[in-house]
Amino acid sequence: ARKVSIAEMEPAITFLSNVGFNVIFGPNLFSEWNQFGGTDAQRAADMQWALDHPEVKAVFFARGGYGTLRIIDHIDFSTFKTSPKWLVGFSDITAWLL
């Protein structure tokens, strides 16, 4: 939910790449809107993109928390229900896990 920079993400990107993962970013990952990682619409669009993308096998959350509650009701989970993916993160991604 909170914005992130490429510098903050670099250690995770390097690790995941080194162990064989093909890391791809949501189109709005580095967007900013106040303290958030983009507007609610941008963050919802990235989450929908990740859940629907046929090549994405896991979604690693850069942040969690309050901003999640602002977008979760705007997500269509129909593709996710038929093609589930791993949801991986910390900083309270509980809303997504539920």
Side-chain angles (χ1 to χ4, degrees):
R2 191 171 65 82
K3 59 188 169 187
V4 296
S5 69
I6 188 72
E8 291 174 292
M9 299 297 298
E10 194 60 41
I13 295 164
T14 300
F15 173 78
L16 292 169
S17 296
N18 286 343
V19 296
F21 288 94
N22 177 26
V23 178
I24 57 176
F25 302 139
N28 299 297
L29 177 61
F30 299 110
S31 296
E32 295 183 23
W33 184 71
N34 296 323
Q35 77 271 21
F36 297 111
T39 64
D40 290 352
Q42 288 174 311
R43 288 181 293 108
D46 271 12
M47 189 62 187
Q48 193 68 63
W49 172 85
L51 293 178
D52 294 346
H53 196 297
E55 294 179 25
V56 171
K57 305 299 181 208
V59 178
F60 284 74
F61 291 79
R63 299 269 194 243
Y66 167 70
T68 300
L69 299 176
R70 296 170 56 108
I71 67 168
I72 199 162
D73 288 338
H74 301 284
I75 303 300
D76 175 359
F77 289 97
S78 58
T79 301
F80 181 73
K81 288 178 184 177
T82 60
S83 298
K85 306 166 187 257
W86 289 95
L87 302 179
V88 182
F90 64 96
S91 186
D92 195 14
I93 65 162
T94 304
W96 293 111
L97 297 177
L98 292 173

